[in-house]
C-alpha cells in the first residue's frame, strides 16, 4: 500500500513539474514566434531555452509513463 501511495505522489509531482516546464517553454516559443513574425533572427538563448525545456519535458513524460505503468501493475 505504501508503494502505491509513493508512486501516486511521485506521479503528481512529475505532472506539476511538467506543467511548469511547459509554461516556460511557451514563453520561449512566444519569443521565437515573435522573431519569425518580425522577420529577424531569433536569439540563440531563446532557441537554447526552448530546446532545453523540450528535452526536460520529454524525459519527465517518459518517467511519468513508467511510473503510471508501475502503478497500474500494482492495482
Amino acid at each position: 500500500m505504501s508503494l502505491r501511495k509513493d508512486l501516486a505522489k511521485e506521479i503528481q509531482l512529475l505532472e506539476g513539474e511538467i506543467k511548469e516546464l511547459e509554461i516556460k517553454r511557451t514563453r520561449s516559443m512566444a519569443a521565437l514566434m515573435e522573431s519569425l513574425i518580425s522577420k529577424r533572427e531569433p536569439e540563440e538563448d531563446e532557441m537554447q531555452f526552448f530546446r532545453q525545456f523540450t528535452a526536460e519535458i520529454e524525459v519527465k513524460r517518459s518517467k511519468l509513463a513508467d511510473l503510471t505503468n508501475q502503478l497500474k501493475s500494482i492495482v
Side-chain angles (χ1 to χ4, degrees), residues 25-37:
R25 182 176 67 173
T26 301
R27 288 186 202 139
S28 266
M29 193 181 336
L32 292 172
M33 289 181 70
E34 177 61 34
S35 295
L36 290 172
I37 292 169

Side-chain angles (χ1 to χ4, degrees), residues 5-69:
K5 285 184 180 182
D6 290 343
L7 285 173
K9 186 175 183 177
E10 193 168 349
I11 287 170
Q12 188 176 18
L13 288 173
L14 269 175
E15 287 173 342
E17 290 173 8
I18 289 170
K19 284 180 185 178
E20 288 177 25
L21 287 169
E22 286 175 338
I23 290 168
K24 291 177 183 180
R25 182 176 67 173
T26 301
R27 288 186 202 139
S28 266
M29 193 181 336
L32 292 172
M33 289 181 70
E34 177 61 34
S35 295
L36 290 172
I37 292 169
S38 301
K39 297 183 181 180
R40 59 183 165 81
E41 190 68 27
E43 292 183 29
E44 185 63 36
D45 288 346
E46 288 302 332
M47 290 189 296
Q48 194 64 23
F49 287 139
F50 180 79
R51 289 182 185 127
Q52 179 183 352
F53 294 139
T54 300
E56 287 181 41
I57 289 168
E58 289 174 5
V59 168
K60 290 188 185 289
R61 282 186 180 158
S62 175
K63 186 174 180 181
L64 181 63
D66 291 342
L67 291 174
T68 302
N69 288 334

